[in-house]
Each structure stands twice: as structure tokens, then as C-alpha cells.
Amino acid sequence: MWAIFFRSSGLVEAVTLEDRKTVTADWYTTVCLPKVITAIESQREKTGIRGILLHHDNASSPTAIRTHELLENSGLKTLPHPPYSTDLAPCDFWLFPRLKDQLRGRRFSANEELRGTLFQAIGDIPKEEWKK
């Protein structure tokens, strides 16, 4: 499983979660978010990104106190996510179905093969689609 972060022009970072593990606040703050923050900072230099507004869902890891503390210390702000608000999860309606269509029926012998195919599918999405 991957935690995938993207912006209006495409992929920021996809962080792998080990097989059969659960997303916890510890993993989210010590493994996932540091990789995302590093990716944002490296892209910031190339693209001139100024302010970052991170949009999470209301799962326990993104809403944990230690997550808020890490984001505050990193200078990242979050956009609140109202409960049961499907209109604020557009990736559920255009990104995930699109990726599922491209992966449906295929078998992968290793996670790296799946990862490569997934990243290729994400990379093939035109920038105009991300902005929609």
C-alpha cells in the first residue's frame, strides 16, 4: 500500500507502507510526512512553490496531535476536512478509478513491478487533468 500525495500539477510523493502494516500516527510522522516534506522542498526549488496547504482526510493518523505538531514545526498548514464530505475528495472520483482501470486484471510478481506500473500510469496523466 502507498500513501500518495499530489498537487494540481501531478505527483508529489508516494510513500510505501510495509506489507500488512497499519497506518499509525507514528509511521505517518516518522516515515511518511518527512518524505513528503522533503519532496515538497525539492520541488519548491524547481517550481517556485511558496505556501503549502495540505489536505488530509479525517483518519486518525492525520488528525493525531503529533501530526499537527510536526506540520506546525515544518511550516505546513492544513485544510480542514469536514466529516462525510465527498466533494472534498476529488481523487476518489477521477484519480483512483482511472488508476484502477489501468491496473485491473494485471498480475505483478513483485511490489516494485506494481510500483513502476503505478508511477507510469500517474506520470501519463496530463497536467491539465490534475488541475481539473
Side-chain angles (χ1 to χ4, degrees):
M1 179 169 77
W2 292 279
I4 298 176
F5 294 80
F6 59 91
R7 60 191 181 134
S8 63
S9 61
L11 181 69
V12 170
E13 183 65 64
V15 183
T16 305
L17 180 65
E18 294 177 28
D19 292 336
R20 303 192 196 296
K21 298 286 182 178
T22 301
V23 174
T24 63
D26 181 55
W27 176 82
Y28 200 65
T29 57
T30 61
V31 176
C32 185
L33 284 179
K35 289 182 180 183
V36 172
I37 291 166
T38 300
I40 289 170
E41 287 172 354
S42 74
Q43 290 179 11
R44 182 178 290 184
E45 294 171 10
K46 297 174 193 169
T47 61
I49 298 171
R50 290 184 303 255
I52 301 295
L53 189 60
L54 191 60
H55 181 212
H56 293 265
D57 59 16
N58 285 328
S60 60
S61 301
T63 58
I65 292 171
R66 65 189 298 175
T67 301
H68 288 280
E69 290 170 351
L70 174 70
L71 293 171
E72 187 175 305
N73 292 337
S74 300
L76 297 178
K77 296 180 180 163
T78 58
L79 178 66
H81 185 87
Y84 310 111
S85 181
T86 56
D87 60 328
L88 290 179
C91 56
D92 291 345
F93 300 102
W94 78 273
L95 177 61
F96 297 148
R98 185 178 189 145
L99 296 174
K100 284 181 190 179
D101 285 345
Q102 291 187 27
L103 300 175
R104 187 172 284 117
R106 298 184 63 183
R107 299 278 182 240
F108 301 94
S109 58
N111 278 342
E112 287 309 310
E113 183 184 358
L114 170 59
R115 180 183 171 92
T117 304
L118 178 65
F119 278 77
Q120 180 65 46
I122 291 171
D124 289 344
I125 299 172
K127 286 187 177 184
E128 302 80 44
E129 291 295 313
W130 291 99
K131 290 183 181 187
K132 290 180 185 177

